[in-house]
Amino acid sequence: MSPSRTSTVFERQRPADSVVRHALAPSRQAVFWTEDAPGDHYPRLRGDVSCDLAVVGGGYTGLWTALLAKREDPSARVVLLEARRVGWAASGRNGGFCEASLTHGEDNGRTRWPGEFDELERLGMSNLDEIEAIVSELGLDAEFERNGALDVATEEYQVEGLREAEGPDATLLDRDAVRALVNSPTYEAGLLRRRDSALVHPVKLARALARACVDAGVEIFERTPVQSIGDGTVLETPTGTLRSKHTALATNVFPSLLRRNRLATVPVYDYVLMSEPLSASQRAAIGWEGRQGIGDSANQFHYYRLTADDRILFGGYDAIYHYGGRVRSAYEDRPETFGRLASHFFTTFPQLEGLTFTNRWAGAIDTCSRFCAFFGSARQGRVAYAAGYTGLGVAATHFGAKVMLDLLAGRTTERTELEMVRTRPIPFPPEPAASIGINLTRWSLDQSDHRAGRRNAFLRTLDAVGLGFDS
């Protein structure tokens, strides 16, 4: 007999509607990170240009690829093409959680690649260490903070999962201990992870990487969408042609320039609120002296963090897919989701009632069925790609860039030998099956959160065949 549906803490301890309305009233539909970090502008590509490596996409994956390519071979001519502006999409809209995991968490990694998970964990930590070292070496102004992370249980059934994840660098905190660390009445327990997570300012990181690319000799062209890549050596744009020996595709959530990848990812919209700066008394009321990034343990989870000026970013929970898998700015304004996030914020921190939000925004996540990035090459090895980070790509994009450069150079490395790198996710079905399946999955995940984490037959079937959808 299946358990009955129960309410979650966010339903049992809802704030008054007036609190939510007051908090959202002054907010603007605008990405805080972009407003906070004005960037450089780069020209359009014009005419016929030749290079050794073309990089398509000006987010983290593309920027790391271009920078690492020039560091590897300073004599190579590297050109990066961006359809709009550097860092404007997912790389500039995320929460700034820079996680060591390459597999979207331990459970996903151990389930999919049990024989190599320890190696993946080692490579993930090394990858984060390398990012920290480059940020320090190049003096990148990215507000990089290696503060660790705090995973919290907001329902009693979630505590055991945290206990199972305890290890040498991850300490389980009981209810009193976790609330002493960060004062929220929703916390039943916490797992404090000390080394495998950092925080960054997303747009500052993107723009600092772009400047580092230019300093290294990379040529960046904005407002230059690539329409086709032919055999991988001729990239056509509306204003010019780029001829290249090799091409790295870093388009992620946007329609792939390779037909084989068209159904490998779907765009799922994630929503975020940013508060006004907290006063000294408000900061004292919540504690949070360690400034760790925080995430809760439900299927439909929240993530939140402090900024350099003591604002709180609060996002997650809803993950919205729109029929046809399109990426459109109209999908970014969703009042019911922002209202739900604000309500959950004040359930988490009721002592902050009266605080207001300055910004609200959304962005599309390149979701794939295995929850983490996939890689490959095409056009007789002249083209490489990395995509499908599924919302945990801030650090993993650095690893993805190194994989693409390995593939383009024809190198056999410990990265290219990984089963995780050599295999691909199961593609999503075409419409209307995609919408039906994704929305049924979202409904099932919500049911699981209301039934003490128990997964229904549909979710168990997806688990068995290796398909997934993450909130």
Side-chain angles (χ1 to χ4, degrees):
M1 181 176 178
S2 62
S4 60
R5 181 180 173 91
T6 59
S7 62
T8 69
V9 67
F10 299 102
E11 294 160 335
R12 296 191 301 270
Q13 299 178 20
R14 290 180 56 188
D17 290 344
S18 59
V19 171
V20 172
R21 288 195 301 270
H22 171 78
L24 288 172
S27 66
R28 304 185 311 282
Q29 185 75 28
V31 181
F32 169 80
W33 304 123
T34 304
E35 294 183 335
D36 193 51
D40 303 316
H41 290 267
Y42 302 95
R44 283 189 173 95
L45 177 73
R46 296 192 184 279
D48 201 329
V49 176
S50 296
C51 66
D52 296 296
L53 174 64
V55 179
V56 183
Y60 297 146
T61 302
L63 292 165
W64 279 122
T65 302
L67 179 61
L68 295 177
K70 284 295 287 186
R71 286 166 69 91
E72 183 179 304
D73 181 4
S75 68
R77 187 176 186 186
V78 178
V79 175
L80 184 148
L81 305 180
E82 163 56 42
R84 294 183 63 173
R85 288 204 64 200
V86 164
W88 79 275
S91 295
R93 296 165 184 257
N94 63 83
F97 287 70
C98 196
E99 298 271 346
S101 178
L102 302 174
T103 60
H104 212 287
E106 181 175 352
D107 288 346
N108 191 50
R110 286 196 183 280
T111 299
R112 296 182 187 280
W113 303 287
E116 66 182 27
F117 177 75
D118 289 345
E119 184 177 6
L120 288 167
E121 190 172 42
R122 175 183 62 80
L123 288 170
M125 188 65 77
S126 175
N127 182 64
L128 182 56
D129 290 341
E130 289 174 22
I131 292 171
E132 184 174 25
I134 292 175
V135 167
S136 176
E137 175 196 343
L138 299 183
L140 302 183
D141 176 17
E143 295 180 6
F144 186 95
E145 300 178 76
R146 192 81 177 258
N147 295 330
L150 179 65
D151 302 331
V152 296
T154 57
E155 305 290 342
E156 288 187 8
Y157 76 86
Q158 299 166 358
V159 175
E160 184 58 32
L162 298 184
R163 182 174 290 111
E164 292 173 355
E166 192 172 16
D169 292 314
T171 302
L172 183 69
L173 306 176
D174 63 18
R175 180 189 297 184
D176 291 341
V178 71
R179 293 185 184 186
L181 192 67
V182 182
N183 185 14
S184 171
T186 65
Y187 296 168
E188 299 295 330
L191 185 74
L192 182 60
R193 298 186 281 116
R194 294 181 180 82
R195 288 290 302 159
D196 64 358
S197 183
L199 294 175
V200 297
H201 186 303
V203 171
K204 284 189 177 182
L205 176 60
R207 292 177 176 169
L209 285 173
R211 291 176 189 130
C213 282
V214 172
D215 290 344
V218 175
E219 299 163 70
I220 297 177
F221 296 96
E222 293 181 324
R223 296 170 295 160
T224 305
V226 176
Q227 298 166 316
S228 66
I229 61 171
D231 66 355
T233 65
V234 182
L235 286 67
E236 298 290 350
T237 82
T239 54
T241 300
L242 180 62
R243 303 180 189 279
S244 178
K245 296 176 183 176
H246 294 99
T247 298
L249 298 180
T251 54
N252 296 311
V253 76
F254 296 96
S256 177
L257 292 163
L258 293 172
R259 185 178 297 275
R260 71 179 68 177
N261 289 340
R262 293 288 171 85
L263 296 176
T265 63
V266 294
V268 174
Y269 275 82
D270 182 53
Y271 297 82
V272 181
L273 295 173
M274 183 70 84
S275 80
E276 62 183 333
L278 274 63
S279 67
S281 61
Q282 288 169 328
R283 275 290 274 118
I286 60 174
W288 208 349
E289 295 304 318
R291 299 178 55 83
Q292 301 88 356
I294 301 177
D296 63 41
S297 303
N299 291 305
Q300 293 181 286
F301 62 91
H302 309 87
Y303 56 87
Y304 39 112
R305 57 158 298 180
L306 291 165
T307 64
D309 61 348
D310 281 342
R311 299 169 186 266
I312 297 178
L313 176 144
F314 194 84
Y317 196 80
D318 279 350
I320 306 300
Y321 173 77
H322 295 273
Y323 187 93
R326 299 178 181 90
V327 179
R328 292 180 173 173
S329 59
Y331 298 152
E332 296 174 19
D333 190 8
R334 199 166 191 269
E336 61 268 40
T337 292
F338 293 124
R340 186 175 296 117
L341 279 175
S343 176
H344 292 181
F345 177 95
F346 290 110
T347 296
T348 303
F349 296 122
Q351 64 270 50
L352 297 182
E353 285 188 7
L355 189 73
T356 61
F357 299 106
T358 60
N359 296 72
R360 62 186 193 275
W361 72 88
I365 295 170
D366 59 326
T367 299
C368 76
S369 64
R370 71 182 200 180
F371 288 10
C372 62
F374 63 93
F375 318 89
S377 59
R379 306 291 199 271
Q380 290 75 53
R382 290 186 292 269
V383 175
Y385 56 84
Y389 294 96
T390 317
L392 207 64
V394 174
T397 52
H398 177 267
F399 178 83
K402 297 180 80 169
V403 170
M404 285 200 290
L405 293 175
D406 286 343
L407 295 174
L408 291 173
R411 293 190 291 252
T412 298
T413 67
E414 61 179 350
R415 291 180 291 270
T416 62
E417 290 296 286
L418 291 167
E419 181 186 356
M420 183 262 234
V421 169
R422 292 185 288 106
T423 56
R424 289 172 53 85
I426 297 171
F428 290 95
E431 296 291 10
S435 287
I436 293 170
I438 290 170
N439 288 322
L440 179 56
T441 304
R442 290 187 65 249
W443 177 85
S444 297
L445 291 170
D446 179 72
Q447 294 296 300
S448 175
D449 286 339
H450 286 83
R451 289 182 166 86
R454 293 175 176 86
R455 297 170 76 82
N456 63 17
F458 181 72
L459 291 178
R460 292 196 300 272
T461 300
L462 293 183
D463 294 339
V465 300
L467 277 167
F469 178 78
D470 193 26
S471 74

